[in-house]
Amino acid sequence: MLLPKFDYHAPTTIDEACSMLGHYGAKAKILAGGTDLLVHMKKRLLSPEQIISLNKIEGLKEAFSQNGTGLVLGPLSTAAYLADSRLIQERISVLAQGASRLGSPLIRNRATVGGNLITARPASDLAPPLLVLSAKVTLKGPRGERTLPLEDFFLGPGQTAVQADEILTKILIPNIQGISAGAYIKLGTRKALEISLVNTACFLELAQDGSIKLARVALGAVAPIPLLTPSVSKILAGVKPKNMDDPVFREAARAAAQESKPITDHRGSADYRRYMVEILTWRTLKNAYSQLMEKV
Amino acid sequence: MKKMITLNVNDREYDLVIPVNRTLTQVLRENLKLTGTKQGCGVGDCGSCTILMDGRPVNSCLVLAAEAEGHKIETIEGLSEEGQLHPLQQAFVEHGSIQCGFCSPGMILSAKALLDKNPSPGETEIREAISGNLCRCTGYQKIVDAIQSVAKKV
Ligand SMILES: Cc1cc2nc3c(=O)[nH]c(=O)nc-3n(C[C@H](O)[C@H](O)[C@H](O)COP(=O)(O)OP(=O)(O)OC[C@H]3O[C@@H](n4cnc5c(N)ncnc54)[C@H](O)[C@@H]3O)c2cc1C
Ligand code: FES
Ligand code: FES
């Protein structure tokens, strides 16, 4: 499969990339790891005249902690980096877990977090973990910079709030105050190179008195966008579960299933997916809560 | 649009003028005649195009050759030294891990990247490391056996 023709640019600063993108507008596409863009171009779903690569810009490949505000992920951080980084594993393990399940080891060495969010696949392995971590994204364009919560970012399959002349420059993960834990489960029909049938991420944070201060669950592949489930947060907020087998987790899981909007396709039926949302949400919540019990 | 690039492949520098829409697989095979790197699916699914970029295995069918500039590229041709097969290559021969051979260069490079990072992996780690490389012939067991025979026993 051959790539269509295009012109190639490799700016060395974000500002330069922004002004190129501003100049070419919708005729141009940003290139990060290329694992989505080049596939789409080979299949002739896209034929941009101009390719603007971010890969010669320094300092976009890593995560660092920003005093006071939280963690910053560079948009070119690869899935392999996120899966293996000590910082990510220790501070926000749910993201490391999601990243470790993306594609194959070969794909993970190229696939970036920025590209993953902009592609906005409903089955993304990075979006649910980032949604439960209350991530925000910073976009830069000719009209300046703006930051928005990830939950306002996805609009539909392949559609996001990003304008054609904007670049995703940062992902921010706000500080976590109390004791917290997360969990991620991806369900597929095989172990590698698999598009999820259903995936679920959860994040729990405890208050001083041992009650749940914050609970967030996000689902993949069961709606047109990676989906946060506010009803789960409502059911669990302020609750002090007896242990990980407390029925409140099953109740929350049932609510997650009700919020999901799965479709039937060759990978699985809507009913099966909805039931799996309940089971997997239940399992991730129990897993995260048992981690919390070990920490207190 | 064409571009002048310098590629570092198997510790040799190559100056090339290439159309910018060429993938690294194409340039390795067509310009450098390093045909050990195979092109199967062309879209990241099969791993027959696996090469090492700065020591990490990647699908060269999804890397623009222009983007490989400034990185150290290793292909299957770079493994043998003075006519001596690399221990992994030798093990693949001895264990019957090669049938049609189309997946072998990629398999061996994925295995090499694993062993360079972790000299004594277990079976699960080996299977995980080659999970982006498909083989239609062997059923994988003989490939896993070959890699395990090279892994240091702990
Ligand atoms: C074989 C295979 C298996 C896969 N398996 C999975 C999987 O299991 N789970 C999963 O979630 N995904 C999977 N993917 C999809 C893909 O690998 C991921 O979505 C990846 O994270 C995309 O990142 P990238 O850097 O390769 O993006 P690119 O292909 O470089 O870019 C994707 C899109 O985002 C735009 N873009 C990229 N970065 C920016 C930026 N900073 N600012 C503005 N626009 C930008 C590009 O213009 C393009 O439209 C798979 C892909 C393949 C080929
Ligand atoms: S040819 Fe590159 S993965 Fe199949
Ligand atoms: S030996 Fe034929 S594909 Fe693996």
Side-chain angles (χ1 to χ4, degrees):
Chain A
M1 254 189 274
L2 299 174
L3 283 166
K5 288 204 171 107
F6 52 81
D7 287 350
Y8 169 85
H9 312 271
T12 53
T13 65
I14 290 262
D15 285 341
E16 201 188 332
C18 279
S19 69
M20 276 182 186
L21 194 55
H23 176 73
Y24 292 118
K27 288 184 182 152
K29 274 280 177 195
I30 295 287
L31 174 68
T35 60
D36 267 309
L37 182 62
L38 298 183
V39 171
H40 286 142
M41 288 170 64
K42 285 187 171 186
K43 293 183 174 164
R44 297 296 190 275
L45 301 171
L46 283 174
S47 292
E49 287 172 22
Q50 311 289 333
I51 293 284
I52 303 169
S53 167
L54 300 182
N55 291 305
K56 290 282 181 303
I57 305 175
E58 299 272 342
L60 301 181
K61 290 192 172 73
E62 272 107 45
F64 54 93
S65 88
Q66 199 169 50
N67 33 0
T69 48
L71 282 184
V72 178
L73 311 183
L76 298 187
S77 304
T78 62
Y81 170 83
L82 295 173
D84 297 340
S85 149
R86 280 282 287 281
L87 182 70
I88 304 296
Q89 286 175 354
E90 280 167 15
R91 297 269 293 272
I92 46 173
S93 64
V94 60
L95 180 60
Q97 286 176 45
S100 74
R101 299 300 314 277
L102 188 151
S104 70
L106 306 168
I107 294 290
R108 289 198 284 280
N109 281 331
R110 297 293 295 170
T112 70
V113 62
N116 191 277
L117 295 181
I118 303 260
T119 293
R121 292 187 179 207
S124 159
D125 283 299
L126 304 184
L130 288 169
L131 280 169
V132 298
L133 291 166
S134 309
K136 293 179 191 145
V137 292
T138 299
L139 307 170
K140 197 164 180 181
R143 294 165 305 282
E145 204 176 74
R146 60 189 179 119
T147 296
L148 67 161
L150 189 59
E151 47 192 289
D152 298 338
F153 178 83
F154 298 113
L155 303 179
Q159 286 177 318
T160 69
V162 179
Q163 303 291 315
D165 55 8
E166 284 180 315
I167 294 179
L168 196 164
T169 55
K170 262 189 265 186
I171 295 150
L172 305 161
I173 317 265
N175 264 334
I176 298 153
Q177 310 295 334
I179 297 173
S180 68
Y184 181 76
I185 301 179
K186 173 177 187 166
L187 175 70
T189 48
R190 52 181 188 178
K191 286 184 187 149
L193 286 167
E194 172 63 327
I195 297 170
S196 303
L197 265 163
V198 174
N199 60 49
T200 48
C202 89
F203 179 77
L204 296 177
E205 197 180 324
L206 284 190
Q208 288 286 344
D209 66 355
S211 65
I212 293 175
K213 184 171 148 198
L214 178 78
R216 278 163 84 90
V217 165
L219 310 172
V222 291
I225 56 170
L227 196 69
L228 259 182
T229 54
S231 64
V232 173
S233 307
K234 221 185 242 165
I235 289 170
L236 291 175
V239 171
K240 209 169 173 174
K242 282 192 293 294
N243 51 38
M244 68 178 224
D245 295 319
D246 195 296
V248 74
F249 291 125
R250 189 67 191 243
E251 188 195 334
R254 231 172 268 133
Q258 271 162 17
E259 282 205 50
S260 69
K261 308 175 187 76
I263 54 165
T264 295
D265 67 10
H266 62 283
R267 288 198 185 85
S269 70
D271 284 344
Y272 174 68
R273 283 191 157 112
R274 201 174 294 109
Y275 186 54
M276 287 306 109
V277 168
E278 179 176 336
I279 298 299
L280 299 185
T281 303
W282 190 35
R283 285 188 194 160
T284 49
L285 287 169
K286 293 206 305 183
N287 179 316
Y289 194 70
S290 72
Q291 290 177 52
L292 283 177
M293 291 300 92
E294 278 168 28
K295 288 186 188 181
V296 289
Chain B
M1 182 186 188
K2 290 196 176 185
K3 193 174 177 335
M4 233 181 88
I5 60 166
T6 305
L7 286 187
N8 180 315
V9 182
N10 302 328
D11 289 324
R12 247 185 84 181
E13 303 259 313
Y14 297 87
D15 294 320
L16 301 161
V17 177
I18 52 145
V20 291
N21 68 346
R22 289 295 188 277
T23 64
L24 185 53
T25 314
Q26 285 176 299
V27 169
L28 289 171
R29 291 180 56 84
E30 292 161 23
N31 298 64
L32 306 187
K33 309 292 180 216
L34 296 173
T35 52
T37 305
K38 308 298 178 203
Q39 163 117 345
C41 67
V43 290
D45 282 323
C46 75
S48 65
C49 65
T50 304
I51 54 105
L52 303 185
M53 197 161 165
D54 302 326
R56 290 177 165 273
V58 304
N59 303 105
S60 65
C61 69
L62 294 181
V63 177
L64 294 182
E67 297 253 297
E69 198 174 24
H71 299 279
K72 205 170 134 45
I73 306 298
E74 234 177 308
T75 69
I76 192 69
E77 289 87 350
L79 257 57
S80 62
E81 278 178 34
E82 291 162 21
Q84 282 282 88
L85 292 182
H86 183 279
L88 273 168
Q89 292 174 306
Q90 190 63 43
F92 268 58
V93 173
E94 281 165 13
H95 285 81
S97 322
I98 302 174
Q99 288 186 24
C100 79
F102 201 79
C103 70
S104 313
M107 284 288 180
I108 291 172
L109 287 167
S110 282
K112 178 174 187 289
L114 169 70
L115 295 181
D116 287 348
K117 207 168 70 176
N118 174 3
S120 42
E123 179 178 345
T124 316
E125 287 155 311
I126 293 174
R127 288 192 182 270
E128 167 63 31
I130 58 168
S131 61
N133 298 85
L134 303 187
C135 177
R136 302 180 305 170
C137 306
T138 66
Y140 300 98
Q141 190 57 47
K142 292 179 177 201
I143 293 175
V144 174
D145 292 345
I147 301 170
Q148 224 151 15
S149 78
V150 179
K152 284 213 188 75
K153 306 280 182 293
V154 270

